[in-house]
Amino acid sequence: YADADKIAKEYSINAYPTFLYFSPDGKIVHRVVGGGEAAEFIAKSEKAFNPATQYYAQLAKYKEGKSKPEDLRVMAMNAMDVYDKANATKIAGEYLATQKDLTTPENIKFLDKFTNSSKDPGFAIFLKEGKKVDAALGKGKAAPKEKATAAGEEIYSKIMRPGATADWAAIEKSLKEKYPEYADELVTMGKVRYSMMTKDWATFQVNVVAYMKKYGADVNPQMLNQFAWTVFENCPDMNCVTEALEWSKRS
């Protein structure tokens, strides 16, 4: 375990499984995150044999400097793909600094991968340029990013901790000030998640039914299945179970 911990720290392992590839002299040359089927894994591994595709060879070339904007863009994407988050964030920032217009389709697609908080430069684009985002990524793609970011910062960072208590009045007030368009939906979903986390099944039943009546039309298949399964396992009210059966069919 001490060796594993040392390896994880030395090579900045952020996800599992992560495969590290070394040359015969012990020099790291490549990394792959995730398993997959045999053919897919072999294809990813083959990149370790070619200096032109080895991740660490590309990273060394970047550190030499004089990278063109397109090279920075590709390098940032490669770093993100292998979960080298520190370098991905740094290089992405350098690439974006070279761009005069962040709302081009290519840059919006790039920002989509590098926008995880309201402080990221891409968040303002998703918030204020929704039409351009939807044009680049597909109809309805801007709103989910805004909602996920808002919910993560304003709700889940506060309630999804052991022993945390939820001050819903304060949470709702903050959301209405910052994201009035989504405040009610996010609070209602937050209450569903919180009652699931605390295993308060009576409250969960009330919350999930309320959420589905208001916002159920846009719920994705995975969430429909999760809600239906949770009702099945924990809620004895057959009226609720009947509703959950419809969610399951939809999923």
Side-chain angles (χ1 to χ4, degrees):
Y1 291 109
D3 289 338
D5 186 59
K6 181 181 178 182
I7 291 169
K9 289 177 179 176
E10 183 173 354
Y11 297 105
S12 302
I13 306 302
N14 297 301
Y16 297 88
T18 291
F19 299 90
L20 303 177
Y21 300 73
F22 297 84
S23 64
D25 62 358
K27 181 181 178 181
I28 189 165
V29 296
H30 194 59
R31 62 192 276 158
V32 167
V33 177
E37 297 298 326
E40 179 187 2
F41 182 69
I42 290 170
K44 290 179 179 179
S45 298
E46 285 177 344
K47 293 182 178 181
F49 294 95
N50 184 352
T53 56
Q54 290 170 346
Y55 175 69
Y56 287 97
Q58 293 174 314
L59 187 62
K61 185 177 180 181
Y62 152 75
K63 290 181 177 179
E64 292 175 358
K66 299 181 181 179
S67 296
K68 298 177 181 178
E70 180 56 29
D71 295 334
L72 291 172
R73 184 178 184 277
V74 171
M75 192 65 230
M77 299 283 280
N78 289 341
M80 180 64 78
D81 287 342
V82 299
Y83 280 56
D84 185 355
K85 293 183 179 180
N87 278 313
T89 301
K90 178 178 180 292
I91 300 168
E94 292 176 9
Y95 166 73
L96 293 172
T98 69
Q99 300 300 293
K100 294 180 180 180
D101 183 4
L102 296 182
T103 64
T104 65
E106 183 178 64
N107 281 340
I108 287 174
K109 291 174 183 178
F110 182 83
L111 289 168
D112 185 39
K113 292 182 176 292
F114 290 89
T115 301
N116 300 297
S117 81
S118 60
K119 295 179 181 179
D120 292 330
F123 186 73
I125 303 297
F126 277 80
L127 194 62
K128 299 175 183 178
E129 302 286 352
K131 290 183 179 180
K132 289 184 178 181
V133 171
D134 286 353
L137 302 179
K139 187 177 180 180
K141 292 296 184 179
K145 178 75 74 174
E146 297 167 32
K147 292 178 186 179
T149 303
E153 294 181 354
E154 300 296 324
I155 301 177
Y156 301 122
S157 65
K158 299 173 183 177
I159 68 172
M160 293 299 188
R161 301 191 306 267
T165 57
D167 185 345
W168 292 111
I171 290 171
E172 187 169 8
K173 181 176 182 294
S174 179
L175 278 168
K176 283 184 175 179
E177 290 173 354
K178 297 178 181 179
Y179 311 101
E181 184 179 354
Y182 307 125
D184 182 72
E185 179 182 356
L186 296 181
V187 168
T188 307
M189 172 56 81
K191 290 179 178 178
V192 173
R193 294 296 186 193
Y194 184 71
S195 55
M196 289 174 72
M197 182 186 75
T198 58
K199 301 185 186 302
D200 182 353
W201 301 121
T203 302
F204 165 74
Q205 177 175 316
V206 173
N207 290 338
V208 75
V209 170
Y211 181 84
M212 289 300 294
K213 284 182 177 179
K214 283 186 176 181
Y215 307 106
D218 297 323
V219 173
N220 64 46
Q222 293 77 17
M223 192 178 293
L224 286 169
N225 180 66
Q226 182 185 30
F227 287 169
W229 188 255
T230 305
V231 167
F232 165 70
E233 288 188 315
N234 302 289
C235 300
D237 184 341
M238 289 308 297
N239 290 324
C240 186
V241 172
T242 300
E243 290 196 43
L245 182 60
E246 292 303 312
W247 309 339
S248 183
K249 288 177 180 178
R250 278 178 53 199
S251 75

